[in-house]
Amino acid sequence: MSYSNFNQVFKEFNKLRVLIIGDVMVDAYIWGAVERISPEAPVPIVRATKRDYRLGGAANVALNVQALGADPILCAVIGKDEGAQKVFDRLEFNKISKEGIVESAERPTTVKTRVLSSHQHIVRVDEETDKLLSKEEEANVWKKIAALLPTCQVVIFEDYDKGVITKNLIKKSVELAEKNGIPTVVDPKKRNFLNYKHTTLFKPNLKELKEGLKLEFEKGDKPEVEKAVELLMEKLQSKGSLITLSEKGVYINFKNEKHHVPAHLREISDVSGAGDTVISIAALCVALNLSPHVIAALSNLGGGLVCEHIGVVPIDKNDLLQEANKLNITL
Protein backbone atom coordinates (compact mmCIF):
# COMPACT_ATOMS: atom_id res chain seq x y z
CA MET A 1 0.00 0.00 0.00
CA SER A 2 1.28 3.49 -0.83
CA TYR A 3 0.66 6.56 1.30
CA SER A 4 0.35 10.17 0.14
CA ASN A 5 1.05 11.79 3.54
CA PHE A 6 2.15 11.10 7.10
CA ASN A 7 -1.37 11.59 8.46
CA GLN A 8 -2.32 8.39 6.59
CA VAL A 9 0.79 6.56 7.82
CA PHE A 10 0.12 7.50 11.45
CA LYS A 11 -3.51 6.32 11.14
CA GLU A 12 -2.22 2.96 9.86
CA PHE A 13 -0.01 2.66 12.97
CA ASN A 14 -3.28 2.30 14.94
CA LYS A 15 -4.05 -0.99 13.16
CA LEU A 16 -0.76 -2.70 14.03
CA ARG A 17 -0.15 -5.33 16.70
CA VAL A 18 3.48 -5.69 17.79
CA LEU A 19 5.11 -8.62 19.60
CA ILE A 20 7.99 -7.44 21.81
CA ILE A 21 10.27 -10.24 23.02
CA GLY A 22 12.87 -9.24 25.59
CA ASP A 23 14.01 -8.17 29.01
CA VAL A 24 11.35 -6.33 31.01
CA MET A 25 12.46 -4.28 33.99
CA VAL A 26 11.27 -1.80 36.58
CA ASP A 27 12.94 1.60 36.77
CA ALA A 28 12.50 2.71 40.38
CA TYR A 29 13.29 6.24 41.56
CA ILE A 30 13.81 7.59 45.06
CA TRP A 31 13.97 11.37 45.33
CA GLY A 32 15.08 13.09 48.49
CA ALA A 33 17.08 15.79 50.21
CA VAL A 34 20.69 15.52 51.40
CA GLU A 35 21.17 17.53 54.58
CA ARG A 36 24.04 15.76 56.31
CA ILE A 37 26.73 13.10 56.04
CA SER A 38 26.30 9.76 57.78
CA PRO A 39 28.20 9.32 61.07
CA GLU A 40 28.70 5.65 60.13
CA ALA A 41 30.58 6.28 56.88
CA PRO A 42 31.49 9.29 54.69
CA VAL A 43 28.31 9.01 52.60
CA PRO A 44 25.32 11.35 52.21
CA ILE A 45 22.10 10.60 54.06
CA VAL A 46 19.14 10.98 51.72
CA ARG A 47 15.86 11.81 53.39
CA ALA A 48 13.42 10.21 50.95
CA THR A 49 10.48 12.41 49.95
CA LYS A 50 9.11 10.60 46.89
CA ARG A 51 9.21 7.21 45.15
CA ASP A 52 8.19 6.30 41.62
CA TYR A 53 8.08 3.05 39.63
CA ARG A 54 8.19 3.01 35.84
CA LEU A 55 8.32 0.36 33.14
CA GLY A 56 11.82 -0.08 31.71
CA GLY A 57 13.73 -2.18 29.18
CA ALA A 58 11.45 -4.01 26.73
CA ALA A 59 8.45 -2.60 28.60
CA ASN A 60 9.54 0.95 27.70
CA VAL A 61 9.53 -0.14 24.05
CA ALA A 62 5.94 -1.29 24.65
CA LEU A 63 5.09 2.19 25.98
CA ASN A 64 6.58 3.78 22.84
CA VAL A 65 4.71 1.38 20.54
CA GLN A 66 1.50 2.19 22.40
CA ALA A 67 2.20 5.95 22.25
CA LEU A 68 2.46 5.61 18.45
CA GLY A 69 -1.03 4.10 18.39
CA ALA A 70 -0.18 0.41 17.91
CA ASP A 71 -1.04 -2.48 20.25
CA PRO A 72 2.05 -3.86 22.07
CA ILE A 73 2.20 -7.47 23.30
CA LEU A 74 5.12 -8.11 25.67
CA CYS A 75 6.72 -11.53 25.89
CA ALA A 76 9.15 -11.79 28.80
CA VAL A 77 10.10 -13.63 31.98
CA ILE A 78 9.82 -11.96 35.37
CA GLY A 79 10.11 -13.26 38.91
CA LYS A 80 7.45 -14.13 41.47
CA ASP A 81 8.38 -11.24 43.70
CA GLU A 82 7.62 -7.66 44.67
CA GLY A 83 9.21 -6.40 41.43
CA ALA A 84 6.84 -8.59 39.40
CA GLN A 85 3.85 -7.02 41.13
CA LYS A 86 5.22 -3.59 40.18
CA VAL A 87 5.43 -4.75 36.53
CA PHE A 88 1.84 -6.01 36.57
CA ASP A 89 0.59 -2.85 38.29
CA ARG A 90 2.24 -0.61 35.70
CA LEU A 91 1.08 -2.77 32.77
CA GLU A 92 -2.48 -2.59 34.09
CA PHE A 93 -2.19 1.17 34.68
CA ASN A 94 -0.98 1.66 31.08
CA LYS A 95 -3.55 -0.82 29.68
CA ILE A 96 -0.86 -3.08 28.19
CA SER A 97 -1.60 -6.80 27.87
CA LYS A 98 0.21 -9.22 30.19
CA GLU A 99 -0.78 -12.33 28.21
CA GLY A 100 2.82 -12.91 27.04
CA ILE A 101 4.45 -12.59 30.48
CA VAL A 102 5.90 -15.73 32.09
CA GLU A 103 6.47 -15.79 35.87
CA SER A 104 9.33 -17.85 37.32
CA ALA A 105 10.36 -18.47 40.90
CA GLU A 106 13.88 -19.22 39.63
CA ARG A 107 14.87 -15.64 38.79
CA PRO A 108 14.25 -12.15 40.15
CA THR A 109 12.46 -9.37 38.32
CA THR A 110 15.05 -6.84 37.15
CA VAL A 111 14.67 -3.66 39.22
CA LYS A 112 17.01 -0.69 38.81
CA THR A 113 16.65 1.78 41.67
CA ARG A 114 18.08 5.27 41.26
CA VAL A 115 18.51 7.59 44.25
CA LEU A 116 18.42 11.28 43.31
CA SER A 117 18.73 14.55 45.17
CA SER A 118 18.50 18.06 43.65
CA HIS A 119 18.75 16.52 40.14
CA GLN A 120 21.97 14.77 41.19
CA HIS A 121 22.12 11.02 40.58
CA ILE A 122 23.68 9.71 43.81
CA VAL A 123 23.63 5.94 43.35
CA ARG A 124 21.92 3.15 41.41
CA VAL A 125 21.09 -0.24 42.92
CA ASP A 126 20.41 -3.15 40.51
CA GLU A 127 18.50 -6.28 41.51
CA GLU A 128 18.82 -8.73 38.62
CA THR A 129 20.28 -11.83 37.09
CA ASP A 130 21.78 -12.27 33.63
CA LYS A 131 21.73 -16.06 33.59
CA LEU A 132 20.08 -17.71 30.59
CA LEU A 133 16.62 -19.20 30.93
CA SER A 134 16.32 -22.78 32.13
CA LYS A 135 14.90 -25.35 29.68
CA GLU A 136 11.51 -25.14 31.42
CA GLU A 137 11.45 -21.32 31.36
CA GLU A 138 12.46 -21.30 27.69
CA ALA A 139 9.72 -23.81 26.85
CA ASN A 140 7.13 -21.64 28.62
CA VAL A 141 8.27 -18.53 26.73
CA TRP A 142 8.22 -20.39 23.42
CA LYS A 143 4.59 -21.47 24.06
CA LYS A 144 3.65 -17.80 24.42
CA ILE A 145 5.62 -16.75 21.31
CA ALA A 146 4.17 -19.58 19.19
CA ALA A 147 0.63 -18.54 20.13
CA LEU A 148 1.06 -14.76 19.89
CA LEU A 149 3.51 -14.17 17.02
CA PRO A 150 1.15 -15.17 14.14
CA THR A 151 -1.40 -12.60 15.41
CA CYS A 152 1.07 -9.69 15.04
CA GLN A 153 2.32 -7.60 12.10
CA VAL A 154 5.92 -7.17 13.33
CA VAL A 155 8.24 -8.64 15.98
CA ILE A 156 10.74 -6.62 18.03
CA PHE A 157 13.60 -8.35 19.87
CA GLU A 158 14.54 -5.98 22.71
CA ASP A 159 17.71 -7.50 24.17
CA TYR A 160 19.31 -6.16 27.35
CA ASP A 161 21.54 -9.23 27.98
CA LYS A 162 19.52 -10.31 31.04
CA GLY A 163 19.10 -13.85 29.72
CA VAL A 164 15.48 -13.94 28.53
CA ILE A 165 16.44 -14.01 24.84
CA THR A 166 18.32 -17.22 24.03
CA LYS A 167 19.91 -18.37 20.78
CA ASN A 168 17.29 -21.10 20.44
CA LEU A 169 14.37 -18.70 20.98
CA ILE A 170 15.80 -16.31 18.38
CA LYS A 171 16.13 -19.06 15.78
CA LYS A 172 12.65 -20.51 16.34
CA SER A 173 10.97 -17.09 16.50
CA VAL A 174 12.62 -15.85 13.30
CA GLU A 175 11.69 -19.07 11.48
CA LEU A 176 8.07 -18.77 12.65
CA ALA A 177 7.97 -15.10 11.63
CA GLU A 178 9.37 -15.91 8.17
CA LYS A 179 6.81 -18.68 7.75
CA ASN A 180 4.03 -16.17 8.53
CA GLY A 181 5.52 -13.34 6.44
CA ILE A 182 6.07 -11.18 9.53
CA PRO A 183 9.15 -8.90 9.68
CA THR A 184 11.58 -9.07 12.62
CA VAL A 185 13.38 -6.01 13.99
CA VAL A 186 16.24 -6.24 16.50
CA ASP A 187 17.68 -3.96 19.19
CA PRO A 188 20.73 -6.08 20.14
CA LYS A 189 23.19 -6.32 22.99
CA LYS A 190 26.56 -8.04 23.23
CA ARG A 191 25.85 -11.69 24.09
CA ASN A 192 23.48 -12.53 21.21
CA PHE A 193 24.88 -9.98 18.76
CA LEU A 194 25.73 -12.46 15.99
CA ASN A 195 22.89 -14.89 16.79
CA TYR A 196 20.18 -12.81 15.06
CA LYS A 197 20.44 -14.57 11.69
CA HIS A 198 17.98 -13.83 8.85
CA THR A 199 16.21 -10.94 10.61
CA THR A 200 14.60 -8.10 8.66
CA LEU A 201 16.20 -5.03 10.26
CA PHE A 202 19.04 -5.02 12.80
CA LYS A 203 19.49 -1.82 14.84
CA PRO A 204 22.68 -1.54 16.91
CA ASN A 205 24.23 1.73 17.99
CA LEU A 206 27.78 2.48 16.86
CA LYS A 207 29.42 1.14 20.05
CA GLU A 208 27.52 -2.15 19.74
CA LEU A 209 28.41 -2.40 16.04
CA LYS A 210 32.14 -1.92 16.71
CA GLU A 211 32.20 -4.27 19.71
CA GLY A 212 30.11 -6.92 17.95
CA LEU A 213 32.43 -6.99 14.94
CA LYS A 214 35.63 -6.20 16.91
CA LEU A 215 36.36 -3.13 14.77
CA GLU A 216 37.63 0.36 15.61
CA PHE A 217 36.77 3.56 13.71
CA GLU A 218 35.27 7.00 14.33
CA LYS A 219 31.52 7.60 14.03
CA GLY A 220 32.17 10.39 11.52
CA ASP A 221 34.04 8.01 9.19
CA LYS A 222 31.22 7.25 6.74
CA PRO A 223 33.13 4.80 4.51
CA GLU A 224 34.15 2.73 7.55
CA VAL A 225 30.59 2.74 8.92
CA GLU A 226 29.32 1.55 5.54
CA LYS A 227 31.97 -1.19 5.30
CA ALA A 228 31.15 -2.38 8.83
CA VAL A 229 27.44 -2.57 8.01
CA GLU A 230 28.15 -4.61 4.85
CA LEU A 231 30.20 -7.04 6.95
CA LEU A 232 27.46 -7.20 9.59
CA MET A 233 24.75 -7.98 7.05
CA GLU A 234 26.95 -10.64 5.49
CA LYS A 235 27.52 -12.32 8.88
CA LEU A 236 23.86 -12.14 9.91
CA GLN A 237 22.42 -12.70 6.42
CA SER A 238 19.95 -9.99 7.44
CA LYS A 239 17.84 -7.96 5.02
CA GLY A 240 18.96 -4.64 6.47
CA SER A 241 20.62 -2.61 9.22
CA LEU A 242 19.86 0.71 10.86
CA ILE A 243 22.79 2.17 12.83
CA THR A 244 22.30 5.00 15.31
CA LEU A 245 25.28 7.37 15.38
CA SER A 246 24.20 9.73 18.24
CA GLU A 247 24.85 13.35 17.17
CA LYS A 248 25.82 12.12 13.65
CA GLY A 249 22.28 10.85 13.01
CA VAL A 250 21.57 7.40 11.56
CA TYR A 251 22.68 5.20 8.68
CA ILE A 252 20.46 2.63 6.97
CA ASN A 253 21.28 -0.13 4.48
CA PHE A 254 18.02 -1.85 3.54
CA LYS A 255 16.31 -3.06 0.35
CA ASN A 256 19.37 -2.11 -1.74
CA GLU A 257 19.20 1.49 -0.51
CA LYS A 258 21.80 3.29 1.62
CA HIS A 259 21.12 6.58 3.38
CA HIS A 260 22.95 8.72 5.94
CA VAL A 261 20.38 10.89 7.74
CA PRO A 262 21.95 13.69 9.83
CA ALA A 263 20.69 14.48 13.32
CA HIS A 264 18.56 17.59 13.83
CA LEU A 265 19.93 20.37 16.02
CA ARG A 266 18.21 20.11 19.40
CA GLU A 267 18.50 21.12 23.03
CA ILE A 268 19.51 17.71 24.41
CA SER A 269 18.35 17.15 28.00
CA ASP A 270 18.67 13.37 28.34
CA VAL A 271 19.47 10.58 25.85
CA SER A 272 17.92 7.86 28.08
CA GLY A 273 15.37 5.77 26.22
CA ALA A 274 16.11 7.25 22.78
CA GLY A 275 17.06 3.82 21.43
CA ASP A 276 13.70 2.41 22.61
CA THR A 277 11.90 5.13 20.65
CA VAL A 278 14.01 4.53 17.52
CA ILE A 279 13.35 0.78 17.46
CA SER A 280 9.60 1.30 18.04
CA ILE A 281 9.24 3.75 15.15
CA ALA A 282 11.45 1.66 12.85
CA ALA A 283 9.43 -1.50 13.58
CA LEU A 284 6.08 0.15 12.76
CA CYS A 285 7.53 1.62 9.56
CA VAL A 286 8.88 -1.81 8.52
CA ALA A 287 5.46 -3.36 9.24
CA LEU A 288 3.89 -0.83 6.84
CA ASN A 289 6.61 -1.54 4.24
CA LEU A 290 7.73 2.11 4.11
CA SER A 291 10.86 3.10 2.19
CA PRO A 292 14.29 2.79 3.84
CA HIS A 293 14.75 6.58 3.76
CA VAL A 294 11.45 7.16 5.58
CA ILE A 295 12.27 4.47 8.17
CA ALA A 296 15.62 6.15 8.89
CA ALA A 297 14.33 9.73 8.78
CA LEU A 298 11.30 9.14 11.03
CA SER A 299 13.25 7.01 13.53
CA ASN A 300 16.01 9.61 13.67
CA LEU A 301 13.42 12.35 14.22
CA GLY A 302 11.69 10.48 17.06
CA GLY A 303 14.95 9.61 18.82
CA GLY A 304 15.91 13.28 18.81
CA LEU A 305 12.53 14.46 20.09
CA VAL A 306 12.59 12.29 23.24
CA CYS A 307 16.09 13.57 24.05
CA GLU A 308 14.57 17.00 24.70
CA HIS A 309 12.89 15.60 27.83
CA ILE A 310 14.48 14.72 31.17
CA GLY A 311 14.17 11.03 32.05
CA VAL A 312 12.83 8.14 29.99
CA VAL A 313 9.62 9.19 28.24
CA PRO A 314 7.76 7.60 25.31
CA ILE A 315 7.45 9.53 22.08
CA ASP A 316 4.56 11.98 21.63
CA LYS A 317 2.79 10.90 18.42
CA ASN A 318 1.42 14.37 17.64
CA ASP A 319 4.85 16.01 18.07
CA LEU A 320 6.38 13.42 15.74
CA LEU A 321 3.65 13.88 13.13
CA GLN A 322 3.98 17.69 13.22
CA GLU A 323 7.78 17.51 12.86
CA ALA A 324 7.55 14.97 10.01
CA ASN A 325 5.09 17.20 8.13
CA LYS A 326 7.12 20.33 8.86
CA LEU A 327 10.35 18.79 7.55
CA ASN A 328 8.53 17.62 4.43
CA ILE A 329 10.06 14.12 4.46
CA THR A 330 9.16 12.51 1.13
CA LEU A 331 7.13 9.32 1.41
Side-chain angles (χ1 to χ4, degrees):
M1 182 176 173
S2 60
Y3 305 96
S4 57
N5 59 59
F6 277 107
N7 296 59
Q8 280 185 334
V9 168
F10 278 51
K11 275 184 186 164
E12 287 299 307
F13 283 170
N14 300 344
K15 299 176 185 175
L16 298 175
R17 186 169 151 101
V18 182
L19 184 65
I20 303 157
I21 304 168
D23 301 296
V24 163
M25 52 191 79
V26 176
D27 285 329
Y29 296 85
I30 299 171
W31 284 275
V34 174
E35 293 160 350
R36 60 197 179 101
I37 300 298
S38 171
E40 300 162 9
V43 294
I45 294 174
V46 179
R47 182 168 51 80
T49 54
K50 182 184 165 193
R51 284 177 183 262
D52 193 14
Y53 299 95
R54 301 175 189 174
L55 292 171
N60 186 51
V61 172
L63 289 175
N64 274 277
V65 165
Q66 184 187 58
L68 290 161
D71 183 20
I73 308 293
L74 272 171
C75 193
V77 182
I78 59 175
K80 288 187 174 178
D81 51 20
E82 196 182 331
Q85 195 51 54
K86 296 280 190 297
V87 171
F88 287 134
D89 288 348
R90 301 318 294 166
L91 289 177
E92 191 176 333
F93 177 80
N94 288 286
K95 297 181 172 57
I96 294 174
S97 169
K98 59 181 184 183
E99 61 188 303
I101 302 289
V102 172
E103 288 182 89
S104 171
E106 304 302 311
R107 58 197 295 123
T109 305
T110 299
V111 180
K112 296 180 182 294
T113 304
R114 296 159 180 86
V115 181
L116 304 104
S117 176
S118 304
H119 304 296
Q120 284 290 108
H121 191 155
I122 294 169
V123 69
R124 191 177 95 181
V125 180
D126 290 0
E127 300 160 78
E128 63 181 16
T129 181
D130 63 358
K131 70 176 183 180
L132 290 173
L133 298 182
S134 67
K135 291 282 182 240
E136 185 186 351
E137 288 167 336
E138 190 181 276
N140 289 335
V141 174
W142 173 244
K143 266 187 222 163
K144 299 278 189 185
I145 293 172
L148 293 166
L149 191 151
T151 71
C152 296
Q153 282 73 52
V154 63
V155 177
I156 298 174
F157 290 98
E158 186 58 35
D159 200 340
Y160 278 86
D161 269 354
K162 303 303 176 198
V164 168
I165 296 180
T166 63
K167 187 177 181 179
N168 189 39
L169 279 180
I170 293 168
K171 185 173 183 292
K172 287 164 74 172
S173 300
V174 171
E175 284 172 357
L176 182 61
E178 282 184 324
K179 185 179 160 191
N180 284 274
I182 297 166
T184 47
V185 180
V186 184
D187 197 359
K189 274 288 183 287
K190 207 169 184 175
R191 179 157 54 190
N192 284 314
F193 195 82
L194 293 176
N195 291 338
Y196 288 101
K197 301 277 169 63
H198 307 291
T199 51
T200 309
L201 190 69
F202 192 75
K203 186 217 75 69
N205 60 33
L206 188 72
K207 181 173 180 283
E208 290 159 349
L209 175 68
K210 292 196 294 188
E211 285 179 354
L213 296 177
K214 296 180 171 58
L215 297 173
E216 199 49 63
F217 53 88
E218 296 300 316
K219 62 184 150 200
D221 192 337
K222 289 183 182 180
E224 286 301 315
V225 171
E226 292 184 19
K227 265 170 56 183
V229 171
E230 292 282 357
L231 176 62
L232 176 68
M233 289 170 65
E234 190 183 306
K235 282 181 178 288
L236 292 177
Q237 297 168 295
S238 65
K239 296 180 181 68
S241 272
L242 174 68
I243 315 297
T244 54
L245 305 165
S246 56
E247 78 277 4
K248 297 289 183 186
V250 300
Y251 171 70
I252 194 167
N253 181 335
F254 187 39
K255 295 181 179 175
N256 297 316
E257 288 185 33
K258 299 173 186 178
H259 302 282
H260 275 274
V261 179
H264 302 277
L265 283 174
R266 297 192 183 278
E267 199 66 47
I268 302 298
S269 293
D270 192 343
V271 297
S272 307
D276 296 344
T277 300
V278 170
I279 195 75
S280 303
I281 295 168
L284 298 193
C285 290
V286 167
L288 295 183
N289 201 26
L290 299 182
S291 74
H293 183 261
V294 169
I295 295 169
L298 206 57
S299 302
N300 182 46
L301 194 56
L305 281 171
V306 295
C307 289
E308 293 182 330
H309 300 273
I310 292 171
V312 176
V313 293
I315 187 67
D316 184 299
K317 187 177 182 177
N318 290 328
D319 284 355
L320 183 61
L321 178 58
Q322 280 176 19
E323 291 262 345
N325 285 330
K326 191 166 78 181
L327 291 167
N328 209 18
I329 300 166
T330 309
L331 275 165

